[in-house]
Amino acid sequence: MEKLYEGKAKIIYPGPEAGLVRVYFKDDATAFNGQKRAQIAGKGVVNNQVSAALFRYLEDQGIPTHFVKLLSEREMLVKKVHIVPLEVIVRNRTAGTFSRRYGVEEGRVLPKPLLEFSYKNDALGDPLIYPEAALALGLLSEDELERIRELALWINTLLKDYFAQRNLELVDFKLEFGRLEDGRLVLADEISPDTMRLWEMGTGEKMDKDRFRRDLGGVEEAYQEVLRRVLAGVYTKSDYE
Ligand code: ATP
Ligand code: TYD
């Protein structure tokens, strides 16, 4: 089947009709701008199903998303969008690039959720971008920027609550938004342990891609456990002990 696009983690195929595409989730994992590469067995299955569950949950709460339906363990059908070339990062605690950039320890609670934007441009290494520079470059309109801020913070509130019910703390995550044919903005791409930091409440154990980035071991198990809690619904201690 002809591919429309192959990225590092997913392949986009034509959909059954115009305006729809199929997203196939691979087991390929990359970190540090593609310098570290490996396969994480079952990751594609986890990320497809976790993303589907989160898109459904967010839609139920009033967030517009590109999600249409699951097609198989590794594939979902989504509305085709023109991706706004920004990675929208929401942080609740310090971690990762933020900690390195500013020399602060990981895990400090931020006084309020912080939004950051990176310019999606592989040749430039996805640099951090000021919202004003994104506007100056014509990457999006002022109204779109306002809408993205509002949606990202709302999504953060919803996801924090969702994961807290599963004994996981949402530390940070990345979102992508896209424009439908009629110009409406929707949440696109994926939301998965590849694109979020999730820490076990109480112990702070990492349950996300940091296990791969930092060679912590138990990578597959952490992805499977996140899927298990997402599918199981609300976390109860007895389920997991
Ligand atoms: P990059 O985002 O730089 O391409 P990547 O190689 O990690 O990074 P993948 O996640 O593997 O990207 O590929 C998925 C691609 O499809 C991304 O470019 C993403 O922006 C794009 N995409 C996500 N959702 C949609 C959608 N609904 N319609 C069209 N493109 C989409
Ligand atoms: P960040 O700390 O900026 O980068 P890194 O994880 O590479 O040190 O990442 C913040 C969150 O956003 C983290 O949960 C991973 C996610 N993210 C992506 O999924 N893709 C990206 O390209 C970036 C920059 C972040």
Side-chain angles (χ1 to χ4, degrees), residues 26-79:
K26 303 192 281 186
D27 283 350
D28 298 359
T30 61
F32 311 116
N33 270 325
Q35 288 167 44
K36 178 169 178 166
R37 286 166 189 273
Q39 294 258 314
I40 298 174
K43 175 175 85 84
V45 174
V46 171
N47 287 359
N48 182 39
Q49 295 190 49
V50 168
S51 291
L54 296 180
F55 284 136
R56 282 194 182 120
Y57 163 70
L58 292 172
E59 283 275 355
D60 284 349
Q61 305 294 320
I63 304 280
T65 81
H66 70 162
F67 182 72
V68 178
K69 63 177 182 179
L70 275 175
L71 294 173
S72 71
E73 270 197 325
R74 284 179 186 273
E75 281 179 303
M76 61 169 68
L77 188 66
V78 305
K79 294 172 193 155

Side-chain angles (χ1 to χ4, degrees), residues 78-95:
V78 305
K79 294 172 193 155
K80 184 175 185 173
V81 299
H82 292 285
I83 292 283
V84 175
L86 291 177
E87 298 193 324
V88 180
I89 293 163
V90 186
R91 300 182 188 274
N92 295 306
R93 284 184 187 258
T94 57

Side-chain angles (χ1 to χ4, degrees), residues 84-85 129 131-141 144 179:
V84 175
I129 188 167
E132 289 77 8
L135 293 175
L137 290 170
L139 305 184
L140 77 178
S141 70
E144 287 175 330
R179 299 178 190 100

